[in-house]
Amino acid sequence: MLVRRIITLGAVTALTAGALTGCSSQAESDPNSFEFWSFTGIGQGEQVDAYTAENPDITIDLTEVGQSGETAQALTTALAGGQVPDLVLIQGDELPRFVENPGNFVDLRSLGADEMEGDYLDWVIEQPTAADGELIGIPTDVGGMAMAYRTDLFAAAGLPTNRDEVSALWPTWEEFLAVGEEYTARPAPRLSIMHQPRCSTRP
């Protein structure tokens, strides 16, 4: 039985997780045809169409598995069963379980990926790097973060409301927390803060 190496991709602090050892009958018949697992609802079909339009010799069989957690679980199951896709998106927060077992993957440095490491933020490229240095992933994007605030509540607390002035209040997380403590100590209406952790900005 032919042993096939496959590549996994990640998204949102998401990374291309390296190449897995498994079996793929599709690969045996056509090395330019591969199976790709993706999350749902991220428009990956359009990306596949654009890629194959530029590379007509490549055939991609896209399956939108489900949400990021479902996709990671499907990959875990596929690894256990020995039948893996050729390409799969892996969310950044799902990646550690795969990085802990780099033996399931091809070290992408063997394919020249080490020449790309300088193109990424250190903390991003560290996420798909195993303890012994194997690089099993390539980043695809980094999650963005935004802060929304009520100008009327800031004004009532005696804080600035101009966006540049507000931004200057907390250049570090420590100062962000300090401003929060200052706000709650003042006689002003309470402000609720919401966090949306899965917003992503693609390059």
Side-chain angles (χ1 to χ4, degrees):
M1 184 176 291
L2 178 67
V3 175
R4 177 88 193 278
R5 301 286 186 171
I6 71 163
I7 296 175
T8 68
L9 297 176
V12 183
T13 347
L15 313 165
T16 307
L20 300 123
T21 302
C23 304
S24 170
S25 58
Q26 198 170 13
E28 297 172 15
S29 60
D30 183 0
N32 289 332
S33 178
F34 60 93
E35 183 180 0
F36 175 26
W37 288 2
S38 172
F39 312 149
T40 56
I42 62 172
Q44 198 63 60
E46 290 82 356
Q47 297 294 320
V48 167
D49 290 342
Y51 181 84
T52 53
E54 295 181 3
N55 302 272
D57 58 324
I58 302 296
T59 300
I60 302 174
D61 180 13
L62 172 66
T63 299
E64 294 190 344
V65 178
Q67 299 302 313
S68 60
E70 295 171 311
T71 305
Q73 183 56 50
L75 176 58
T76 299
T77 302
L79 281 170
Q83 293 291 332
V84 293
D86 301 296
L87 196 67
V88 55
L89 287 173
I90 295 297
Q91 182 82 22
D93 54 7
E94 300 286 352
L95 192 61
R97 72 170 92 169
F98 302 110
V99 175
E100 290 176 357
N101 297 285
N104 289 330
F105 298 78
V106 166
D107 184 352
L108 295 182
R109 295 177 303 176
S110 67
L111 302 177
D114 53 341
E115 299 176 2
M116 303 168 55
E117 291 185 48
D119 296 340
Y120 301 94
L121 297 169
D122 290 343
W123 66 268
V124 176
I125 200 67
E126 286 171 1
Q127 293 185 48
T129 302
D132 292 333
E134 301 98 325
L135 181 64
I136 68 166
I138 298 297
T140 61
D141 58 65
V142 176
M145 181 178 293
M147 171 62 66
Y149 63 95
R150 289 268 303 270
T151 56
D152 58 333
L153 299 186
F154 268 45
L159 294 171
T161 58
N162 175 271
R163 59 181 298 174
D164 293 331
E165 294 177 352
V166 171
S167 178
L169 288 175
W170 48 66
T172 67
W173 283 114
E174 290 76 14
E175 288 169 294
F176 175 81
L177 294 174
V179 171
E181 292 173 354
E182 179 183 356
Y183 178 89
T184 56
R186 297 187 180 190
R190 289 294 170 257
L191 174 67
S192 296
I193 297 178
M194 295 185 296
H195 176 224
Q196 177 64 33
R198 300 215 178 218
C199 295
S200 69
T201 302
R202 291 187 176 269

